[in-house]
Amino acid sequence: MQLDFSGKVALVTGAASGIGEAVARQLAAGGAQVVVADLHRDAAEQVASSIGAQARARQLDVSDADAVRQLVDATVAEYGGLHLAVNNAGIGGASQDTADYPLEEWHRVLGVNLHGVFYSMKYEIAAMLAGGGGAIVNMASILGSNGWAGSTAYVAAKHALVGMTKTAALEYSARGLRINAVGPGFIDTPLLAGMDRAAYDGLVALHPAGRLGKAAEVAALTCFLLSAQASFITGSYHLVDGGFSAR
């Protein structure tokens, strides 16, 4: 099914690789103008260049509220509006038991994975309402509904992100704005490139599908939720996890 995003302007954070890149490419393939936002400017520019004239690269640290505001404002000024957003930027953080978890890591992970999504929604929502509505997808994780030993900050942020998504959806659904969350399982992205084979196989074994997911599979669901085909879907948390959460 080819989704039609003609005439739409989309902002994707963390779009220089992995899931974010796949989302940006699928949105552009559907006709959207896409802002490829990422902390890593060079990588974002490579992605935007490979997509073509429909994409613009922008450097963005989502943990900086003013930087997020400026990017949303600049997007509206350049394109005349903002209709779609995918808040995908995120980091993993340290692996430590809760009592030993470093305070600086706690603040760093929540600064990106939770505060960054709040900042993004705060300014995206205002821009979308000014234009008559739109759709937002927040990238959660299977750890938005499950625990994972050693990842207290990441798990806390993703659980909170799901709750924040549901709350915002209740607040704005009657005003033409849909907001959903997607929860990927472990996805085969460049982030796993340095993992040893035993650890990789251990992750695969957690998924009844017998493999890790692909970024394009997460992007396909994300883009569907952004599309007019999903017009009655809001406030939901959708898993793409190969059966991980069904155990």
Side-chain angles (χ1 to χ4, degrees):
M1 177 175 58
Q2 180 64 47
L3 300 175
D4 183 11
F5 297 111
S6 300
K8 303 297 184 182
V9 177
L11 169 61
V12 184
T13 69
S17 66
I19 293 170
E21 177 183 353
V23 169
R25 292 186 183 281
Q26 289 190 24
L27 286 170
Q33 298 290 325
V34 183
V35 176
V36 177
D38 201 279
L39 183 62
H40 304 289
R41 176 184 288 275
D42 289 347
E45 288 178 345
Q46 290 176 6
V47 170
S49 177
S50 68
I51 290 173
Q54 288 173 248
R56 295 285 188 277
R58 296 290 183 265
Q59 187 171 28
L60 177 65
D61 177 358
V62 296
S63 69
D64 181 340
D66 196 51
V68 175
R69 178 189 60 78
Q70 289 182 38
L71 179 58
V72 172
D73 287 349
T75 298
V76 173
E78 179 176 359
Y79 292 104
L82 178 66
H83 311 102
L84 310 170
V86 179
N87 298 316
N88 169 74
I91 57 176
S95 180
Q96 293 283 339
D97 288 348
T98 300
D100 300 317
Y101 205 85
L103 289 176
E104 62 274 16
E105 273 295 275
W106 171 266
H107 292 295
R108 188 174 76 94
V109 172
L110 266 68
V112 175
N113 293 2
L114 180 58
H115 300 165
V117 175
F118 168 71
Y119 301 150
S120 297
M121 282 206 299
K122 176 178 175 64
Y123 298 113
E124 292 160 357
I125 287 170
M128 289 180 186
L129 290 178
I136 296 172
V137 171
N138 294 323
M139 199 57 63
S141 164
I142 48 174
L143 302 185
S145 55
N146 295 278
W148 190 268
S151 294
T152 186
Y154 186 90
V155 171
K158 294 302 184 179
H159 272 69
L161 183 155
V162 172
M164 188 164 60
T165 298
K166 291 176 180 288
T167 298
L170 291 173
E171 293 167 344
Y172 296 104
S173 60
R175 299 170 68 182
L177 180 55
R178 298 184 301 103
I179 307 173
N180 292 288
V182 168
F186 286 92
I187 306 301
D188 207 345
T189 70
L191 291 176
L192 301 183
M195 182 175 289
D196 66 66
R197 190 68 205 183
Y200 182 92
D201 290 344
L203 289 181
V204 169
L206 296 174
H207 300 76
R211 64 175 177 86
L212 301 187
K214 300 175 183 177
E217 293 172 317
V218 181
L221 175 59
T222 300
C223 290
F224 171 75
L225 291 171
L226 293 172
S227 76
Q229 302 290 338
S231 58
F232 198 57
I233 302 175
T234 194
S236 299
Y237 166 51
H238 302 264
L239 299 172
V240 190
D241 70 353
F244 180 104
S245 301
R247 290 186 180 276

